[in-house]
Amino acid sequence: SGIANQVYNHALVGTLTLYEVTVILPLSVAAGGLGGVIARSTLTGQETLYRVSQAIGEASDLQGIVDAIGEQLADPQVSHVALWQNASGEEEGSMEISLLAVWMPSVARVWGSGVWRPGLRLDGSQVPALGSLRQRSPVVLRVSRLPASERAVWEHQGIRSVVLLPLITFSGVQDGLLMIASRRIYGFSRVRLRTYLTIGAQVALVLENLHLIEQAQQAGVSSERQRLARDIHDSLAQGFTSIVMKLEAADARIPSDLD
């Protein structure tokens, strides 16, 4: 806008040159158009991130979380959005993960190719790259660069690149793993990776909230059971005391010479 304004001022005072008309003005217009395209793309990405964040926040279970990511954020080449649980604990040793929930495109479900089911387990012997998750940092795997044995595990599922995002709670506990897999060799741009990092942080927060809700529900059930136990105990004690007193009163009023 500034360059175009300068050219316009030169035209008003009669000092406009051929160079400004043929070079500077077209370049300024092209730069403005490019800026508009970039701004529109950025705004679209922010709106998409807002929608998926809202959908994740409204999810009431684990399947709802991965469905929100897959339906709102995944591109056509994404083959899996999976939520895994750290099944190996915090102790040293081979990393093992267990599948909790997974989203796949409808085409993959119809074909039955590369279909994962909750309960599926992977460990460090099958996927050595899982060992790097002990450092609690995101891992991007390009399947073509992996050893043959490990590459076969991913290629069997039609996966050519994958992002592994450890889910760390505020207390510092690795609560799970978010996995986004793609059929592309270069499946994730830097912008897309930053978006997934943001989503991973929110998923970790939602999981922690779900755990807290579950603990609160369990605490409520336990409290209600204790209350019922006290009520039952008190009512039975009162009933037995009344029975004993009536029996003693009846016994005192019965003549002692009766059989």
Side-chain angles (χ1 to χ4, degrees), residues 11-238:
L12 288 180
V13 298
T15 58
L16 185 65
T17 65
L18 181 62
Y19 176 75
E20 290 175 329
V21 173
T22 59
V23 177
I24 295 181
L25 185 59
L27 285 178
S28 65
V29 173
L34 179 60
V37 171
I38 294 174
R40 189 177 299 110
S41 175
T42 301
L43 181 60
T44 301
Q46 291 176 346
E47 290 175 346
T48 301
L49 184 60
Y50 172 77
R51 287 197 302 270
V52 69
S53 298
Q54 189 176 32
I56 291 174
E58 294 173 353
S60 59
D61 55 17
L62 302 180
Q63 188 61 47
I65 293 175
V66 296
D67 287 346
I69 299 173
E71 294 170 2
Q72 299 286 342
L73 199 60
D75 62 59
Q77 292 299 318
V78 169
S79 59
H80 299 77
V81 176
L83 190 60
W84 300 77
Q85 181 183 24
N86 182 5
S88 56
E90 294 295 322
E91 65 276 1
E92 295 296 330
S94 177
M95 184 76 173
E96 184 178 5
I97 55 176
S98 176
L99 184 60
L100 298 176
V102 61
W103 173 90
M104 291 176 292
S106 56
V107 174
R109 289 193 291 266
V110 171
W111 289 347
S113 174
V115 177
W116 289 352
R117 293 285 184 268
L120 173 68
R121 284 178 176 259
L122 295 176
D123 57 37
S125 63
Q126 298 170 299
V127 186
L130 293 178
S132 59
L133 296 176
R134 293 281 185 187
Q135 301 176 1
R136 301 185 177 186
S137 58
V139 176
V140 180
L141 299 179
R142 197 170 299 160
V143 174
S144 60
R145 297 182 178 180
L146 297 176
S149 58
E150 185 175 1
R151 186 167 63 245
V153 176
W154 299 110
E155 289 179 343
H156 178 69
Q157 302 292 333
I159 296 172
R160 305 181 75 178
S161 58
V162 62
V163 179
L164 307 177
L165 299 172
L167 303 177
I168 311 299
T169 64
F170 283 121
S171 58
V173 178
Q174 184 172 334
D175 198 29
L177 172 71
L178 180 63
M179 177 186 296
I180 299 98
S182 175
R183 288 185 286 268
R184 291 196 186 108
I185 296 177
Y186 302 95
F188 309 100
S189 64
R190 291 184 178 180
V191 174
R192 182 67 65 169
L193 286 175
R194 286 196 296 268
T195 300
Y196 286 145
L197 286 172
T198 302
I199 293 301
Q202 185 178 1
V203 170
L205 177 62
V206 172
L207 288 179
E208 191 166 17
N209 288 340
L210 289 177
H211 291 330
L212 292 175
I213 292 173
E214 183 179 359
Q215 291 175 2
Q217 291 174 342
Q218 292 176 351
V221 171
S222 177
S223 176
E224 183 65 11
R225 286 177 176 173
Q226 292 176 359
R227 186 190 68 79
L228 289 174
R230 288 193 300 269
D231 290 348
I232 292 173
H233 176 271
D234 293 344
S235 60
L236 288 176
Q238 293 174 1

